[in-house]
């Protein structure tokens, strides 16, 4: 008997998460948002399948046996690529990324005859699982590998993906000094939950945790927490996944146009180049300009330099003081959003100012008037016509 809680969680919530995933895949956005969308779709499928294979329902629905099996090889890859492209949004898909999907494809192909075969084969498989009280230690010829070997491959693949993702985040934090970053705190929490869930999976494969008639487990709980963490973060900060050609929002001066101070030698000027690169990467990945508290001190601390060094960097590399540098990103962020989203073209200036981090319409007006010497209405009309 389907309870209200089961109906709401296994079907309503899962459907909403799946639709949210489709939205991320189909909307314009950074590559990481596409993989996060696929992650949500796989999670939706996992919840749906879990209803039919837990609490003894598998006996009544043998057609769902092994329905999620190939996705044990897909989910870790999607998770890793989501983390990878969140950390490096300017990178594109490479040939080796495609190779990561090979285990999923091969396992899916080998299971197709079983999926498309007679239901009697599925009933037999379920019977063996129930007879031996194990998803691992029972005789089966469905796959080329034994259930135990296949389970080891799945766990190894999942563990490798989680560990590499976790280490990738730690290395990025160490190299870029973004220790207070909202995005990195998010990714660190997500990869940590993924690692913890694998502890329980390994415990089951090793026989430390016994067969529980396919009921909801601690590993499931941690996986679901990781997924809903992602949902919550994206709903709270949707701009994190916006698509904008950030590298072109504020252009650098050509080397011959820059004005060094008398006491600045070549080595110091080269440092400013490095600081500018670090600053741009920080603005691309974390989008601090969307927050009204993107102060000089906070940004300098986030990228690991002094406030004086940051101030001099924006002046030397962009010929802008720091507040004008931030406002330039905000203005061009609005321009890009208006190009890509119809809703932004009909948005009031008050709301645009709030969404872009200005805090008020007057702040938006002052910034555009100072930097472009025209009113916001005239400026955006000009940009919309380009």
């Amino acid at each position: 008997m389907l309870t209200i809680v089961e109906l709401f969680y296994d079907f309503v919530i899962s459907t909403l998460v799946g639709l949210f995933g489709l939205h991320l895949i189909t909307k314009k956005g950074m590559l990481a948002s596409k993989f996060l969308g696929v992650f949500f779709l796989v999670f939706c499928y996992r919840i749906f399948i879990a209803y039919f294979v837990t609490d003894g329902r598998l006996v009544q629905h043998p057609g769902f046996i092994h329905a999620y099996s190939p996705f044990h090889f897909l989910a870790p890859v999607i998770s890793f690529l989501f983390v990878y492209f969140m950390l490096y949004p300017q990178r594109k898909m490479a040939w080796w990324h495609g190779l990561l999907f090979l285990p999923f494809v091969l396992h899916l192909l080998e299971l197709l005859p079983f999926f498309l075969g007679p239901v009697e084969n599925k009933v037999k498989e379920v019977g063996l699982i129930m007879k031996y009280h194990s998803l691992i230690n029972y005789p089966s010829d469905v796959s080329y590998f034994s259930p135990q070997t296949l389970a080891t491959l799945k766990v190894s693949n999942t563990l490798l993906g989680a560990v590499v993702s976790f280490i990738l985040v730690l290395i990025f934090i160490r190299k870029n000094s973004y220790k207070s970053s909202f995005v990195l705190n998010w990714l660190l929490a997500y990869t940590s939950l993924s690692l913890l869930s694998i502890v329980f999976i390994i415990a089951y494969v090793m026989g430390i945790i016994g067969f529980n008639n396919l009921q909801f487990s601690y590993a499931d709980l941690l996986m679901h927490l990781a997924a809903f963490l992602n949902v919550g973060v994206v709903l709270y900060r949707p701009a994190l996944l916006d698509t904008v050609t950030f590298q072109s929002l504020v252009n650098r001066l050509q080397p011959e146009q820059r004005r060094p101070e008398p006491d600045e030698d070549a080595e110091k000027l080269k440092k400013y180049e490095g600081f500018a690169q670090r600053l741009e990467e920080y603005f691309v990945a974390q989008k601090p300009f969307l927050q009204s508290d993107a102060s000089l001190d906070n940004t300098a601390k986030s990228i690991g330099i002094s406030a004086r060094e940051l101030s001099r960097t924006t002046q030397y590399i962009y010929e802008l003081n720091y507040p004008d540098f931030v406002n330039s990103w905000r203005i061009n962020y609005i321009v890009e959003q208006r190009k890509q989203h119809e809703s932004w073209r009909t948005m009031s200036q008050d709301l645009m100012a709030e969404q872009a981090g200005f805090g008020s319409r007057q702040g938006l007006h002052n910034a555009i008037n100072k930097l472009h010497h025209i009113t916001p209405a005239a400026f955006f009309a000009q940009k919309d016509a380009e």
Side-chain angles (χ1 to χ4, degrees):
M1 182 71 179
L2 181 64
T3 67
I4 295 297
V5 174
E6 288 172 333
L7 173 65
F8 183 73
Y9 185 79
D10 294 329
F11 296 98
V12 177
I13 293 294
S14 65
T15 300
L16 291 175
V17 172
L19 290 174
F20 188 44
L22 282 174
H23 169 69
L24 292 179
I25 293 172
T26 55
K27 69 172 284 192
K28 289 182 178 180
M30 56 197 294
L31 194 53
S33 71
K34 309 300 181 184
F35 286 111
L36 184 59
V38 177
F39 171 86
F40 286 144
L41 283 179
V42 172
F43 179 67
C44 167
Y45 179 69
R46 176 188 174 86
I47 295 177
F48 177 77
I49 292 297
Y51 172 78
F52 294 99
V53 301
T54 56
D55 292 330
R57 298 187 191 95
L58 190 58
V59 176
Q60 286 78 40
H61 304 281
F64 288 94
I65 185 67
H66 300 317
Y68 190 78
S69 186
F71 291 86
H72 285 291
F73 292 104
L74 177 64
V77 174
I78 297 301
S79 179
F80 163 73
L81 291 175
F82 158 63
V83 172
Y84 178 82
F85 286 110
M86 277 299 296
L87 295 175
Y88 304 102
Q90 293 176 317
R91 296 186 182 180
K92 298 180 180 180
M93 284 286 289
W95 64 269
W96 63 269
H97 295 140
L99 294 179
L100 300 176
F101 294 93
L102 194 57
F104 164 72
V105 173
L106 293 176
H107 188 41
L108 179 62
L109 289 176
E110 75 163 345
L111 286 179
L112 279 180
F114 176 76
F115 291 150
L116 301 176
V119 69
E120 289 79 10
N121 293 344
K122 301 175 182 67
V123 172
K124 177 185 174 183
E125 188 77 2
V126 173
L128 288 170
I129 291 174
M130 295 303 176
K131 178 181 178 181
Y132 285 86
H133 292 278
S134 176
L135 288 166
I136 300 169
N137 296 309
Y138 73 96
S140 174
D141 57 0
V142 172
S143 170
Y144 175 81
F145 299 102
S146 69
Q148 188 170 20
T149 302
L150 190 60
T152 302
L153 291 174
K154 291 176 181 176
V155 172
S156 300
N157 183 66
T158 304
L159 179 62
L160 180 62
V163 169
V164 171
S165 298
F166 185 73
I167 292 175
L168 201 62
V169 174
L170 292 181
I171 291 175
F172 193 89
I173 292 173
R174 184 175 181 182
K175 289 179 66 176
N176 296 278
S177 302
Y178 298 151
K179 296 180 182 178
S180 60
S181 160
F182 179 86
V183 170
L184 288 190
N185 288 335
W186 165 28
L187 295 179
L188 194 59
Y190 168 64
T191 53
S192 298
L193 285 171
S194 300
L195 277 176
L196 283 173
S197 67
I198 296 171
V199 172
F200 290 98
I201 296 174
I202 294 174
Y204 177 78
V205 172
M206 295 178 64
I208 299 173
I209 298 177
F211 182 74
N212 64 349
N213 195 24
L214 303 177
Q215 294 176 351
F216 195 81
S217 67
Y218 290 114
D220 293 319
L221 174 63
L222 290 167
M223 289 178 185
H224 288 210
L225 284 175
F228 286 119
L229 170 69
N230 289 341
V231 173
V233 168
V234 175
L235 290 177
Y236 174 63
R237 296 275 294 274
L240 292 175
L241 299 177
D242 280 341
T243 175
V244 177
T245 52
F246 290 116
Q247 62 272 23
S248 65
L249 288 188
V250 178
N251 295 322
R252 300 184 184 188
L253 292 174
Q254 294 299 318
E256 63 272 13
Q257 297 174 311
R258 298 171 187 169
R259 300 175 184 176
E261 293 183 348
D263 62 336
E264 292 177 332
D265 55 21
E267 184 178 353
K268 181 173 286 189
L269 297 178
K270 188 175 181 180
K271 277 187 178 181
Y272 293 146
E273 287 279 0
F275 295 158
Q277 181 66 30
R278 199 184 304 180
L279 176 63
E280 290 174 3
E281 289 177 355
Y282 175 60
F283 269 49
V284 167
Q286 320 306 336
K287 304 180 182 62
F289 58 92
L290 297 180
Q291 306 302 311
S292 58
D293 61 346
S295 67
L296 176 69
D297 289 336
N298 287 343
T299 300
K301 183 179 179 181
S302 295
I303 64 174
I305 63 177
S306 70
R308 185 181 182 283
E309 288 172 325
L310 175 56
S311 180
R312 181 58 189 143
T313 296
T314 60
Q315 189 66 51
Y316 175 69
I317 300 294
Y318 308 98
E319 203 174 27
L320 293 168
N321 60 40
Y322 177 76
D324 288 344
F325 175 80
V326 175
N327 286 336
S328 295
W329 278 72
R330 289 168 173 164
I331 292 168
N332 287 297
Y333 174 81
I334 295 175
V335 171
E336 292 296 326
Q337 293 301 319
R338 289 173 67 91
K339 287 180 181 178
Q340 298 167 17
H341 304 290
E342 183 66 32
S343 60
W344 276 74
R345 296 175 195 167
T346 57
M347 193 179 291
S348 69
Q349 289 187 22
D350 293 278
L351 187 54
M352 284 194 298
E354 181 183 345
Q355 293 289 323
F358 282 105
S360 69
R361 177 175 179 168
Q362 188 61 45
L364 172 64
H365 181 278
N366 292 343
I368 291 179
N369 185 56
K370 179 181 180 181
L371 293 168
H372 301 283
H373 312 293
I374 55 176
T375 65
F379 174 78
F380 291 126
Q382 184 183 90
K383 291 297 181 179
D384 290 344
E386 290 180 357

